[in-house]
Amino acid sequence: MTEAATLVSYDEALIRYEPVIGLETHVELGTVTKMFCGCPTVFGAQPNSAVCPVCLGLPGSLPVASRAAIEYTIRIGLALNCSIATWCRFARKNYFYPDMPKDFQISQYDEPLCTDGWLDIAVEDQRFRIGIERVHLEEDTGKSLHVGGATGRIHGADHSLVDYNRAGIPLVEVVTKPVPGTGALAPEVARAYVTELRELLRALGVSDVRMEEGSLRCDVNTSIAPAGSDRWGTRTETKNVNSLRSVERAVRFEIQRQAAVLDTGGKIVQETRHFQEAAGTTTAGRSKEEAQDYRYFPEPDLVPVAPSRDWVEELRAALPELPAARRARLQADWGLSDLDMTQLSNADALELVEQTVAAGACAADARKWWLGELARRANETGTELAALPVTPTQVARVTELVTAGTLNDKLARQVLELIVAGEGEPDEIVAARGLAVVSDDGALTAAVDAAIAGHPEIAAKIREGKTAAAGALVGAVMRATRGQADATRARELILQRLN
Ligand SMILES: [Zn+2]
């Protein structure tokens, strides 16, 4: 069954409906060993080489919970202002799928390790407190690879391969409470939350948080209800959204799609949906009626987890500087405004700017290039800022060349574009492409003389003392040199000539 592709424009949808969002984020922990056995968690190893009887679920093998994974989870919970359970159990989640060799996954169900916290975020000049429902620990599944079909799915595949290296890798799931009251900012709030959470996890050193490699992935819940209604709408859950930009797009699309369904008298079906990266749309997956009953029960092979209060307090005392505190410190050092800082962190550019400043740039310049030219570039090509093929050191060098007068802003933009295009280091590009500002009088004089000869009426005004008219001649010089002239020097030469 195909769905109607009609959408309501975003602005219109927000006049009639109020969105509520929620996010479930899965984080692969960077522990040395798996969750319940001693197998290594290396990425990209030979398929089925990092396995043992426990993570293969062979009869008679017994799991032992990783202390490191529990410690990481408690640290995440503390950083998110959660309460840490004094006693909790793992649960067995039963389902049958080839990538889950023991036919169940060990997870946490009604007794999560961390509950009831919050994370503050800012979008534009508004602050939002995102409630955290729970943070729990579970194990990842293996990976199936369906070969020979056009879609990479099992339907139409010639045969399937399975790799159990990932089966048993510790995963933390961070679940928010429903977030109402965001209005039209819902997509940006969703993105800002994931950005902030990712920074927090990175600061804690518990995961490499690479969305593109799947070590951080999001399920995005979206519902809408008629404006002023005292009830929330039926929510959909968009699975495995794997970039910050996609988080924002998935929420925006769902709001527009659901508004179209409600506008035409339809009902929203509670279902999982899949985000289609290329189209920016979501498509229907399983509905609630088809959802499986996992028959959770307390995992009988594991002892309960009962972290001592002393240990929890030790972990709390040892938390590193968290992103909000770090931002406050950097803001003071850099002298940037609140809005500048919000923009930097929501564009995921804080780290990049910090490294650019460390490489010799001033903060205002670093901010300007990362949020200007480079953000535009990233947006055009649909990539994350940090994934652009340009380094903070290169950006710092470009700002130095501007400060030294070798480049003006226009030339600096071209140099950055060529770095991104893979043409090499800033100095090489300036030399190879002849992009430096022309300020030596010999080369400028010819262009100045041509500009004067080409605009006798302007030249006459300047001779009469109306020096403000010189701007028009400077413009002509800049055009003739395709932006490479040193504008200050050109103006000096024009005034000298016409004095
Ligand atoms: Zn193992």
Side-chain angles (χ1 to χ4, degrees):
M1 191 183 74
T2 54
E3 291 177 287
T6 13
L7 296 181
V8 171
S9 92
Y10 188 73
D11 293 340
E12 253 183 70
L14 266 297
I15 293 169
R16 291 194 290 282
Y17 300 104
E18 301 247 9
V20 177
I21 54 170
L23 291 122
E24 298 174 18
T25 312
H26 301 260
V27 186
E28 193 177 294
L29 294 183
T31 52
V32 179
T33 62
K34 289 186 180 179
M35 186 61 229
F36 299 112
C37 63
C39 287
T41 54
V42 282
F43 190 79
Q46 188 73 13
N48 298 307
S49 61
V51 292
C52 74
V54 174
C55 54
L56 285 178
L58 299 187
S61 63
L62 286 172
V64 177
S66 154
R67 183 186 167 94
I70 292 170
E71 177 180 322
Y72 282 18
T73 308
I74 294 175
R75 294 174 69 222
I76 294 169
L78 290 171
L80 290 170
N81 308 291
C82 288
S83 309
I84 310 301
T86 51
W87 191 91
C88 64
R89 286 175 298 184
F90 285 99
R92 192 175 280 197
K93 176 181 183 181
N94 292 279
Y95 72 97
F96 308 95
Y97 209 70
D99 62 12
M100 200 66 244
K102 41 187 194 217
D103 283 344
F104 62 83
Q105 181 185 22
I106 303 177
S107 181
Q108 290 193 292
Y109 183 50
D110 50 353
E111 300 173 18
L113 194 46
C114 320
T115 49
D116 200 21
W118 44 265
L119 181 63
D120 284 337
I121 58 149
V123 173
E124 291 169 11
D125 51 359
Q126 289 191 55
R127 297 193 163 271
F128 296 91
R129 175 158 289 188
I130 310 296
I132 304 293
E133 176 86 37
R134 58 190 278 151
V135 180
H136 77 244
L137 195 49
E138 63 188 29
E139 57 177 339
D140 206 351
T141 62
K143 277 259 171 301
S144 299
L145 183 66
H146 306 296
V147 186
T151 59
R153 300 201 172 184
I154 196 162
H155 300 286
D158 186 42
H159 60 276
S160 296
L161 300 168
V162 67
D163 176 8
Y164 291 127
N165 282 353
R166 296 173 70 86
I169 290 198
L171 279 184
V172 150
E173 189 172 343
V174 181
V175 182
T176 69
K177 296 176 181 173
V179 185
T182 59
L185 290 176
E188 287 86 357
V189 168
R191 178 183 180 139
Y193 163 77
V194 180
T195 306
E196 183 72 10
L197 178 64
R198 192 168 72 151
E199 269 191 45
L200 183 108
L201 296 165
R202 195 186 278 144
L204 291 169
V206 295
S207 170
D208 65 11
V209 292
R210 295 208 180 116
M211 294 189 86
E212 64 285 4
E213 285 172 17
S215 54
L216 188 150
R217 42 192 198 257
C218 275
D219 300 342
V220 182
N221 296 332
T222 315
S223 70
I224 58 172
S229 160
D230 56 356
R231 293 181 61 186
W232 292 342
T234 304
R235 71 191 169 96
T236 61
E237 181 180 0
T238 305
K239 296 292 242 185
N240 286 336
V241 184
N242 59 9
S243 75
L244 295 172
R245 188 165 167 268
S246 301
V247 168
E248 187 176 332
R249 290 167 83 207
V251 174
R252 189 176 299 272
F253 178 82
E254 268 304 287
I255 289 172
Q256 292 178 260
R257 185 190 68 85
Q258 292 181 18
V261 172
L262 294 181
D263 274 0
T264 51
K267 276 183 100 172
I268 303 300
V269 183
Q270 186 173 347
E271 62 186 355
T272 59
R273 298 185 66 86
H274 302 288
F275 185 65
Q276 307 299 332
E277 189 71 47
T281 60
T282 68
T283 51
R286 277 197 317 262
S287 78
K288 182 83 187 296
E289 290 79 55
E290 298 163 46
Q292 302 170 47
D293 179 355
Y294 293 117
R295 310 229 166 219
Y296 282 98
F297 63 83
E299 169 57 52
D301 287 342
L302 284 166
V303 293
V305 178
S308 80
R309 292 303 94 179
D310 288 351
W311 187 38
V312 170
E313 287 318 307
E314 231 173 80
L315 294 176
R316 192 195 305 274
L319 286 179
E321 182 185 37
L322 297 177
R326 173 165 163 260
R327 275 198 302 275
R329 175 174 58 79
L330 290 175
Q331 185 175 5
D333 286 357
W334 294 346
L336 297 180
S337 71
D338 285 355
L339 187 61
D340 286 341
M341 293 303 286
T342 303
Q343 285 173 341
L344 279 180
S345 65
N346 289 349
D348 205 24
L350 206 64
E351 190 95 30
L352 293 167
V353 167
E354 194 178 16
Q355 289 168 3
T356 308
V357 170
C362 84
D365 287 346
R367 180 198 156 277
K368 172 174 119 181
W369 292 111
W370 282 110
L371 284 190
E373 183 62 18
L374 292 168
R376 187 182 62 75
R377 189 81 205 171
N379 202 33
E380 273 172 14
T381 52
T383 46
E384 304 290 338
L385 204 48
L388 280 181
V390 54
T391 65
T393 311
Q394 289 169 328
V395 176
R397 181 61 189 151
V398 170
T399 68
E400 281 169 5
L401 291 170
V402 173
T403 308
T406 309
L407 295 176
N408 56 28
D409 277 11
K410 183 173 177 224
L411 293 170
R413 265 197 295 281
Q414 286 181 46
V415 171
L416 286 170
E417 220 165 87
L418 293 166
I419 293 171
V420 171
E423 290 211 7
E425 293 301 316
D427 292 276
E428 288 168 15
I429 292 171
V430 169
R433 293 275 189 151
L435 285 179
V437 167
V438 176
S439 58
D440 83 289
D441 290 357
L444 274 182
T445 304
V448 166
D449 286 346
I452 291 171
H455 302 84
E457 68 299 343
I458 299 174
K461 280 189 190 163
I462 298 170
R463 280 205 187 84
E464 287 160 20
K466 291 173 185 157
T467 52
L473 292 186
V474 172
V477 170
M478 296 306 284
R479 277 194 298 281
T481 58
R482 282 183 297 160
Q484 269 177 262
D486 177 340
T488 312
R489 186 62 195 142
R491 184 185 166 83
E492 282 169 13
L493 286 173
I494 290 164
L495 294 178
Q496 263 175 33
R497 288 274 199 225
L498 300 177
N499 201 337

